[in-house]
Amino acid sequence: MFMDDFIINYSFNIIYQLINTIILYSLILYMTLQRKIGRKGISIIKEEIVKLLFTPHANHLLIGVGRLCKNNIVKGEINISLISPLLIFSYNLKCNQLNSDIHCGAQRRNMQIGKILYEMRTAQNISATDLVNGICAPSSYSEYETGKNIPDFLTVNGILERLGQGIASLSAWLSSEEISYLGWRDEVCDAIEKEDYKGLKEAIDKAFVCSSFHKKLQLQFLLYAKGVLEERLYHNHKKAWEKYREAFCLTAGFLEDKDWKKKRVGSFEVGIYCLYARLYIRLDQTKATGIRETLEQLYLFVLSMADEEQQVKALPLLVCVMEEVEEAIFGRKVSKERFIEKERRLEKTYEQLKRCRYLYHVPRIQEALVECKTRLQKERETLIREKEAIQFLYHHFHKSLNYNPYNLHGNLWLIVSMGEYLEKGRRKKGLSQATVSEHICEPENYSRLEKGKRKPKIQNYKKLTQRLELEPKYYGEILTSDKAEAHLIRMELSGEMFEGNYEQAERLLSKLEEVLEEEKEQNLQYLEERRALISYRKNLMEKEELIEELKRILSYTMDLKEVGKKLHTYTSTERNLINQLGGMYLDTRQYEKAISLYTDYLEDMMGEKWGINQRFRETYMEALNLGKCLSDIAQYQEAKVIWEQWIKRALDIGYAANLDDYVAEYSYTLEMEKKETPDKPQRLCELAMAISEMYGNKRIRKLIGNYYKAKYGENSYSFTSAL
């Protein structure tokens, strides 16, 4: 009897596995004909077939299909119910497994920063030796590219700057010590920007070394800060010059050689060299000609950078210092030819600043450009209007117009606390620290990880995140892709959508989908969000439809109810979805929902452990829309506080995107509050239009213009020196 049961059960298992094997082969044929599977997909399905033949578990077909989706093999949607009733039976048995494994929006995979660096480097035909000269050994860099080791934050930032091809919205997962160090750097930069040199001294006195960051790059920043202190507080130019020289020589000493053209230099290194050059010509004017030649080479090098966003970090200061050096050599008697060359450099820099929406040294560049155009007798009316608008903007919000070459602008990263990342994942799962760390590390050590006192070892981090169903992230971007081309297309797509060029945006989105190919499924949340917004902007979708679509797409990776509970670490795509959803609530006058969503989100973000400048990029759009909600329900004082606070922050970091929208809303709030003189809101609205012409997009420009015309009945406006 026992043998009979055994034979029956064994026969049943064999028959079941053979049926599932046939189903899988049918699946290959179906998806191949539907063009929903590639070679990699066929390879993985074959692996599952082998498992089916040699493993007695009946749910392997389901898990096999799950792996297909999890490994980004299936392209598009498959109506699985048409393939086999047996698969539906497996689905009922393992519903939770299917939800976690097949859910394409929740794909777990870490971005390989080394592969990104490799693609960028080889695309520009740069040798590893020339790229990392002075930063690290080529052998160490090779380990980064091959994935054997993970570079620290400062090293990645320095290499990206040298590649001249930074990635917008790049995120880094850091320990508390690392975040504290970056907070200290923020404090130093804030003191320099505000010309608070006593505050700078206090910050330098608190300097410390972060154990996990590149020591040489930390020292370079400290020497730069000490140089500024010596020059501005103690007026010791000789000592300041020595500090600047020591700083850039740590990684870019080759700049003192005549033949350095093959080597690479980053925008921060260019900035330190510029500060060194300014003082050198004052201390020894005989060196001015040699300095000028190096600056000209640097100018050509910066222009050769592939990414305009990276060029604009270095060009404004470089062009201003070139002016100072030329004046030291030639005095005020500059030939017409040199004025033409000077105008060309200034014009190029100014247009680039406007395209990239930055305010770096804009007042100084405008002033120099007006002088050039006056000397060359060229049209300057538009430029003067823009110059006076910027002056009015800075004066109104009590910001200094003084030329400050010492604040060197770098990349704005999105910083995530690795400890909070693990803690939120654990709390969401409802697990204890002992349970999470079991067989991986001691509970005491895990507790230190959550508190950010130490960084986990690579293997332990992978095991912990796997247990918590998180991605083992060190670096990330909006896209989960190792293809540099995909990230560049995404940035171009963002620019076209900002400008309202939705036809071109749609073409770029299709191109991006082609480039991503097998990575398409794991980026489905971002791709669907872009597709939905383009459809809405092209009037192919109603407002209520878009709201439901945004909620559906967001549900791929998080529950909307989690917002405000400090249980979730937001991705860039989730932030975009939350902002767009709140914006649609605002458009449909669902103010209570919009205010609740934005307030909860901002509470989550403000609770994170990073500097105010880093928070700005992740909160300024949400703060803008929250202010609009408050203004629409007549809470003008609360809205005004938001406008003033965020406009000042934008000026602090030199960021002009959506500044026109902020100023226009500020003007409207003052108009409705009726506490100011009647002409003040009008002048601010004119300012918003001027900023919009310089930095804004067509849609916002049109809205502000229509409001101005309806409110004040004028078709034109101007700024005068009297303002």
Side-chain angles (χ1 to χ4, degrees):
M1 188 71 175
F2 170 78
M3 284 300 295
D4 289 344
D5 286 344
F6 173 79
I7 291 169
I8 291 169
N9 288 333
Y10 185 76
S11 300
F12 177 79
N13 277 335
I14 290 175
I15 293 168
Y16 187 89
Q17 290 168 39
L18 286 172
I19 291 171
N20 279 346
T21 303
I22 292 168
I23 293 168
L24 268 177
Y25 272 118
S26 301
L27 191 60
I28 290 177
L29 180 61
Y30 171 81
M31 288 190 290
T32 303
L33 291 173
Q34 295 294 318
R35 296 184 179 180
K36 293 189 175 183
I37 190 168
R39 292 180 183 176
K40 186 177 176 184
I42 293 172
S43 174
I44 288 182
I45 291 180
K46 285 179 179 177
E47 289 178 22
E48 299 305 326
I49 290 172
V50 172
K51 288 182 181 179
L52 281 168
L53 294 174
F54 295 100
T55 312
H57 295 297
N59 62 9
H60 257 299
L61 175 60
L62 174 75
I63 296 171
V65 175
R67 281 190 65 207
L68 292 180
C69 294
K70 191 172 181 180
N71 287 281
N72 318 307
I73 305 307
V74 179
K75 301 176 182 178
E77 297 178 356
I78 299 173
N79 190 343
I80 297 175
S81 63
L82 297 177
I83 299 173
S84 169
L86 195 57
L87 190 57
I88 303 305
F89 173 68
S90 297
Y91 171 83
N92 291 330
L93 286 176
K94 267 299 211 181
C95 184
N96 292 335
Q97 179 76 33
L98 186 66
N99 282 338
S100 62
D101 282 357
I102 284 189
H103 207 301
C104 52
Q107 173 62 33
R108 307 296 182 193
R109 195 179 76 84
N110 185 31
M111 186 179 99
Q112 304 297 314
I113 191 68
K115 290 183 180 179
I116 298 285
L117 296 176
Y118 170 78
E119 282 202 17
M120 288 181 170
R121 180 180 66 80
T122 53
Q124 297 182 51
N125 197 27
I126 306 167
S127 73
T129 303
D130 288 336
L131 175 62
V132 300
N133 188 302
I135 293 180
C136 64
S139 57
S140 298
Y141 177 72
S142 175
E143 291 187 355
Y144 302 150
E145 286 194 350
T146 56
K148 291 180 181 178
N149 208 344
I150 296 173
D152 73 276
F153 173 82
L154 295 185
T155 301
V156 170
N157 192 58
I159 292 170
L160 282 174
E161 284 192 355
R162 285 192 171 189
L163 285 165
Q165 204 168 27
I167 303 175
S169 300
L170 196 61
S171 304
W173 274 249
L174 306 176
S175 69
S176 287
E177 183 193 24
E178 292 169 334
I179 292 173
S180 295
Y181 172 77
L182 294 180
W184 169 77
R185 284 178 67 138
D186 244 9
E187 190 179 339
V188 168
C189 292
D190 193 50
I192 291 173
E193 192 277 329
K194 293 177 178 175
E195 301 182 75
D196 176 14
Y197 299 114
K198 288 183 179 178
L200 175 60
K201 182 183 183 304
E202 291 174 5
I204 289 174
D205 289 341
K206 294 187 290 184
F208 66 96
V209 176
C210 178
S211 58
S212 53
F213 279 167
H214 197 312
K215 303 298 185 292
K216 188 192 288 186
L217 298 180
Q218 291 183 71
L219 178 58
Q220 185 177 58
F221 182 85
L222 182 60
L223 288 168
Y224 144 71
K226 286 183 175 180
V228 175
L229 188 67
E230 290 291 343
E231 183 179 353
R232 300 302 296 163
L233 186 62
Y234 303 124
H235 306 290
N236 189 335
H237 290 185
K238 180 72 163 62
K239 202 165 183 179
W241 173 80
E242 289 171 353
K243 295 292 182 188
Y244 294 144
R245 183 178 182 278
E246 190 179 351
F248 83 77
C249 282
L250 278 173
T251 58
F254 50 79
L255 287 176
E256 292 190 314
D257 302 331
K258 289 186 177 179
D259 187 23
W260 60 270
K261 293 179 183 177
K262 287 186 179 180
K263 297 180 176 67
R264 307 290 291 189
V265 61
S267 56
F268 184 67
E269 293 162 316
V270 171
I272 297 173
Y273 185 84
C274 286
L275 298 179
Y276 157 84
R278 292 177 74 247
L279 287 185
Y280 202 8
I281 59 170
R282 296 178 191 179
L283 295 169
D284 186 356
Q285 202 161 348
T286 62
K287 304 292 184 182
T289 302
I291 290 290
R292 176 171 167 266
E293 289 174 2
T294 303
L295 290 172
E296 285 181 342
Q297 288 177 355
L298 280 172
Y299 175 75
L300 295 174
F301 168 77
V302 171
L303 288 181
S304 72
M305 289 180 175
D307 186 2
E308 271 198 344
E309 287 275 342
Q310 292 300 306
Q311 290 180 26
V312 86
K313 302 280 195 313
L315 268 186
L317 177 60
L318 183 55
V319 167
C320 290
V321 172
M322 288 175 77
E323 259 198 274
E324 293 181 50
V325 172
E326 288 187 353
E327 189 171 323
I329 296 172
F330 305 110
R332 302 296 293 176
K333 296 179 180 178
V334 181
S335 66
K336 184 177 180 180
E337 289 72 22
R338 290 202 180 278
F339 254 112
I340 292 172
E341 176 62 23
K342 178 180 173 181
E343 184 212 19
R344 187 184 64 80
R345 285 197 305 259
L346 289 166
E347 189 81 63
K348 186 174 186 65
T349 304
Y350 185 50
E351 290 304 317
Q352 202 169 79
L353 281 164
K354 290 196 290 185
R355 277 197 304 275
C356 297
R357 301 176 186 92
Y358 287 107
L359 289 159
Y360 305 150
H361 307 303
V362 162
R364 173 64 180 259
I365 288 170
Q366 287 176 327
E367 186 181 341
L369 197 50
V370 167
E371 182 188 356
C372 280
K373 289 187 178 296
T374 302
R375 173 73 180 266
L376 297 170
Q377 297 181 335
K378 290 189 174 182
E379 190 278 322
R380 59 198 181 109
E381 184 180 338
T382 301
L383 178 61
I384 288 174
R385 187 175 66 193
E386 291 174 347
K387 174 174 175 266
E388 290 169 347
I390 293 296
Q391 287 176 344
F392 181 59
L393 172 68
Y394 276 74
H395 284 313
H396 183 83
F397 293 100
H398 310 292
K399 293 294 176 181
S400 173
L401 277 164
N402 294 339
Y403 170 53
N404 182 355
Y406 307 100
N407 193 13
L408 307 182
H409 301 278
N411 293 322
L412 284 175
W413 287 64
L414 310 180
I415 305 300
V416 180
S417 167
M418 191 175 282
E420 287 188 4
Y421 181 57
L422 292 171
E423 183 189 4
K424 287 176 180 178
R426 179 180 62 79
R427 286 171 57 204
K428 192 184 288 189
K429 287 282 181 185
L431 301 175
S432 68
Q433 291 184 343
T435 304
V436 172
S437 59
E438 188 177 4
H439 304 310
I440 299 175
C441 62
E442 293 298 321
E444 296 81 9
N445 291 336
Y446 178 77
S447 177
R448 292 191 191 101
L449 297 181
E450 283 197 358
K451 291 176 182 176
K453 292 182 178 180
R454 59 185 298 181
K455 222 172 178 179
K457 294 177 181 177
I458 293 174
Q459 289 305 318
N460 284 354
Y461 187 45
K462 286 181 180 178
K463 290 176 184 177
L464 290 168
T465 51
Q466 186 176 14
R467 185 165 289 177
L468 294 170
E469 295 185 12
L470 299 172
E471 298 175 56
K473 285 191 172 184
Y474 289 93
Y475 299 100
E477 209 259 356
I478 290 179
L479 294 180
T480 303
S481 174
D482 300 330
K483 297 177 180 178
E485 183 185 2
H487 295 286
L488 297 176
I489 294 171
R490 186 204 62 74
M491 287 190 282
E492 189 179 353
L493 170 61
S494 296
E496 294 297 341
M497 291 195 72
F498 182 86
E499 288 293 341
N501 301 327
Y502 299 114
E503 293 292 341
Q504 177 62 11
E506 192 168 30
R507 285 190 286 271
L508 284 169
L509 184 58
S510 298
K511 183 180 177 182
L512 180 59
E513 289 172 336
E514 290 175 11
V515 170
L516 288 170
E517 281 188 272
E518 293 177 356
E519 296 175 321
K520 185 176 176 181
E521 291 299 321
Q522 67 201 48
N523 291 293
L524 195 59
Q525 188 177 55
Y526 169 78
L527 296 171
E528 287 192 1
E529 182 252 358
R530 295 286 97 177
R531 185 71 68 187
L533 290 178
I534 290 170
S535 296
Y536 173 70
R537 292 299 180 192
K538 292 176 69 178
N539 298 317
L540 301 176
M541 190 182 289
E542 297 296 326
K543 291 179 180 180
E544 291 298 337
E545 286 181 281
L546 180 60
I547 288 173
E548 293 307 312
E549 183 68 0
L550 292 172
K551 286 160 71 173
R552 182 188 68 80
I553 297 169
L554 183 62
S555 71
Y556 282 170
T557 53
M558 70 173 294
D559 188 336
L560 198 56
K561 294 177 182 177
E562 294 172 4
V563 180
K565 295 181 179 177
K566 294 182 169 57
L567 288 172
H568 191 77
T569 301
Y570 298 95
T571 66
S572 295
T573 301
E574 288 165 349
R575 284 191 289 266
N576 288 342
L577 282 161
I578 287 169
N579 182 54
Q580 296 294 344
L581 181 58
M584 294 312 299
Y585 284 150
L586 173 61
D587 281 356
T588 53
R589 301 185 185 279
Q590 299 180 60
Y591 297 120
E592 189 175 337
K593 286 184 178 180
I595 291 171
S596 174
L597 182 60
Y598 285 133
T599 303
D600 288 346
Y601 170 79
L602 290 170
E603 278 184 15
D604 274 354
M605 297 306 291
M606 292 305 183
E608 299 284 1
K609 299 175 182 175
W610 56 63
I612 193 168
N613 288 351
Q614 302 296 345
R615 287 200 302 264
F616 177 85
R617 291 291 290 267
E618 290 138 281
T619 54
Y620 80 105
M621 282 302 299
E622 290 75 16
L624 173 65
N625 285 333
L626 175 59
K628 288 180 179 179
C629 291
L630 295 171
S631 183
D632 280 3
I633 61 174
Q635 293 185 20
Y636 301 120
Q637 183 57 37
E638 292 86 344
K640 189 169 77 169
V641 169
I642 290 176
W643 307 139
E644 290 177 344
Q645 185 181 28
W646 256 261
I647 290 170
K648 287 177 180 178
R649 285 183 185 176
L651 297 180
D652 283 343
I653 65 173
Y655 195 59
N658 296 101
L659 189 56
D660 53 344
D661 209 353
Y662 265 102
V663 174
E665 291 293 339
Y666 180 59
S667 164
Y668 173 78
T669 301
L670 293 183
E671 179 71 44
M672 299 307 293
E673 215 180 14
K674 301 190 183 303
K675 290 183 180 179
E676 302 287 348
T677 55
D679 66 326
K680 189 172 182 180
Q682 180 178 351
R683 304 312 276 167
L684 282 166
C685 192
E686 291 178 0
L687 173 62
M689 285 195 287
I691 295 170
S692 195
E693 287 184 3
M694 290 175 67
Y695 295 109
N697 63 39
K698 291 181 286 189
R699 186 173 64 88
I700 298 298
R701 196 177 307 146
K702 185 176 180 181
L703 288 172
I704 298 172
N706 288 343
Y707 170 77
Y708 183 87
K709 188 175 180 180
K711 184 69 181 176
Y712 304 110
E714 297 179 24
N715 295 319
S716 62
Y717 62 95
S718 63
F719 281 85
T720 65
S721 300
L723 283 173

